[in-house]
Amino acid sequence: RPAVNLVKGRMKQLAACAVARGPRRGPKLAKLAREIARVLVDEVGPECMRMIEQSDGRAKLIANAPLELLPIRDLPMQLRYTVSRVPITPAHVFLSHIIGDPGVYVSPADLSDVLIVRSFEHDDPIRHALEKASAAFLDVANRKLNIRIVDVASVEEFADAVNSFSGKILVFDGHGAHSEKDGIGLLELGGKPIEPGTLKGKIARMPPIVILSACITHPLDWSETSSAGAFLTMGAMSVLGTVTPIHARDAAVFVGRLLLRLAEFVPVIAGSGQRWSDVISGLLRMSYVTDLIRVFESERVISADDHRKIQFEANTLINSESNEWFEKTLAALALASGWSAEQVRSFWLENAYFTSAMRYVHLGSPERIVIVRDDGEDDA
């Protein structure tokens, strides 16, 4: 229903709260996100909600509004299901994803080359955040992946880096913003804000998978001229963007975990029928569990050993596609903390409902990217 667009004002409130530094930010974010979820449920209507709830765990959203926040058994749909979204505007992007390419097939070898285009000024304190925060992940991933980091300071250098790359995955590591004045998404190159759309015509082939490790690349209150939307316009099939500002450390760890998942998990699922959307959905779930555990650990009701054990068990459940991964994680937290199941659930809803994992949005058609076995690999 068009009425779902009425949440736009509330989205602005949530985005503003996400950048606040007050001690009660977590509970405020949780309260706002749950209120948005309630409004979305009311406006989507019971008939459509029943259809969504009876799905097989996959949902394709055709909307500008962030319907990923719809609650399915209390958990946001973005985490409960494998979800991606095609914005309705601009129309030519919408049409290209609805009636365009039926899909592409990629193997673990195809996904082993990763280009990280980095753009920070030399004295920027977060210039090396990715290498520092994700050192352990990168050490493992580098043994199986070809990860190339290129520093750029201009549109021309960005285009040259992408044009010299024949792989499937592009990561942008830098600063992002969204102009309130004209509603245009911006990325910083060499310390100067540029509209990503200026890259169009300079890049001969955009990799099908783009990860934007930068702030506000597709704002919660949406815009057809977002940075993420620009990469869809330039030909990317899957764009992972951010809906709010995100801490450099959280973004760096997320990219590190993604690289580790490419190295260790993708070869295991090759040929199983899983898609790129499954790879990202699983990563978002694991990241959400990490965020949740950290909140409990900050209350000193669980130990570091409990953290590692619960995370490992949750990762195993997520990778095995268990529908009860979240409920079993809450049960594990109750056991470790000594709290009742109801206490744990209430604490989650009131303090850790909207976390760093919820700051990502998966746009485009990642479900059309099918992961197959490498050529010549034995299918027996």
Side-chain angles (χ1 to χ4, degrees):
R1 298 176 182 176
V4 297
N5 294 309
L6 295 176
V7 300
K8 196 163 188 173
R10 287 184 170 89
M11 293 297 176
K12 285 184 178 291
Q13 291 179 330
L14 183 60
C17 184
V19 298
R21 294 181 177 273
R24 295 285 298 166
R25 184 180 63 174
K28 288 178 181 177
L29 279 171
K31 183 178 180 180
L32 281 168
R34 286 189 290 116
E35 175 62 17
I36 288 169
R38 184 193 64 76
V39 173
L40 285 174
V41 168
D42 290 344
E43 299 304 341
V44 165
E47 184 177 348
C48 191
M49 284 302 301
R50 280 194 297 272
M51 179 188 72
I52 295 170
E53 291 166 353
Q54 292 168 5
S55 77
D56 64 353
R58 296 177 182 275
K60 184 69 185 180
L61 305 177
I62 312 296
N64 283 341
L67 297 178
E68 295 90 351
L69 294 177
L70 274 170
I72 306 296
R73 297 185 353 243
D74 290 335
L75 193 66
M77 180 166 59
Q78 180 178 11
L79 299 168
R80 183 68 74 183
Y81 292 166
T82 299
V83 173
S84 65
R85 173 155 58 99
V86 173
I88 296 172
T89 53
H92 68 280
V93 172
F94 163 68
L95 289 173
S96 71
H97 282 266
I98 296 303
I99 60 176
D101 191 333
V104 298
Y105 296 89
V106 297
S107 69
D110 294 325
L111 299 177
S112 65
D113 290 328
V114 180
L115 173 64
I116 300 177
V117 175
R118 182 172 61 187
S119 188
F120 293 102
E121 295 188 85
H122 290 292
D123 58 351
D124 195 310
I126 67 170
R127 176 182 172 83
H128 297 287
L130 177 57
E131 295 145 294
K132 293 177 180 177
S134 299
F137 299 122
L138 289 171
D139 284 345
V140 176
N142 268 315
R143 299 171 197 164
K144 296 184 178 181
L145 304 178
N146 302 312
I147 303 170
R148 178 183 165 205
I149 300 178
V150 178
D151 289 298
V152 304
S154 67
V155 168
E156 290 70 24
E157 289 180 3
F158 192 118
D160 288 344
V162 176
N163 286 333
S164 66
F165 178 63
S166 60
K168 309 292 185 184
I169 302 177
L170 166 66
V171 178
F172 174 74
D173 181 25
H175 291 295
H178 198 85
S179 171
E180 287 289 335
K181 181 179 179 181
D182 50 24
I184 294 176
L186 304 168
L187 297 179
E188 279 193 17
L189 298 182
K192 298 178 181 178
I194 65 104
E195 296 178 29
T198 59
L199 291 162
K200 192 173 184 180
K202 298 179 183 295
I203 295 177
R205 184 199 70 93
M206 180 62 65
I209 297 170
V210 174
I211 310 295
L212 297 177
S213 187
C215 291
I216 330 177
T217 51
H218 193 76
L220 268 173
D221 52 324
W222 62 92
S223 168
E224 66 179 55
T225 50
S226 71
S227 295
F231 282 89
L232 288 177
T233 300
M234 289 185 280
M237 184 171 284
S238 162
V239 179
L240 189 70
T242 50
V243 297
T244 70
I246 188 165
H247 291 300
R249 184 183 181 280
D250 291 337
V253 169
F254 186 88
V255 171
R257 293 178 79 163
L258 171 61
L259 296 174
L260 182 63
R261 196 159 172 78
L262 283 172
E264 302 289 344
F265 180 68
V266 167
V268 174
I269 64 170
S272 67
Q274 292 198 53
R275 318 297 175 98
W276 181 248
S277 51
D278 298 301
V279 176
I280 294 298
S281 291
L283 179 59
L284 289 172
R285 290 167 187 156
M286 289 189 287
S287 297
Y288 192 76
V289 169
T290 301
D291 293 340
L292 176 62
I293 294 173
R294 282 177 178 164
V295 176
F296 275 82
E297 198 172 9
S298 70
E299 292 293 307
R300 299 183 180 180
V301 294
I302 63 171
S303 67
D305 285 341
D306 291 329
H307 182 149
R308 287 187 287 270
K309 180 182 178 183
I310 296 168
Q311 183 76 65
F312 178 79
E313 291 173 350
N315 290 355
T316 301
L317 289 167
I318 290 165
N319 287 335
S320 63
E321 300 183 85
S322 168
N323 291 329
E324 299 299 319
W325 65 270
F326 187 67
E327 285 69 23
K328 290 182 178 180
T329 297
L330 292 183
L333 283 167
L335 182 63
S337 65
W339 290 4
S340 69
E342 186 55 42
Q343 278 180 296
V344 167
R345 191 172 192 82
S346 294
F347 186 79
W348 158 57
L349 288 170
E350 294 171 9
N351 298 276
Y353 186 80
F354 189 91
T355 73
S356 66
M358 294 299 298
R359 297 178 189 232
Y360 290 94
V361 59
H362 208 176
L363 302 174
S365 302
E367 69 282 354
R368 294 184 182 180
I369 303 174
V370 185
I371 301 171
V372 298
R373 289 185 172 90
D374 289 317
D375 289 342
E377 187 173 323
D378 189 359
D379 289 332

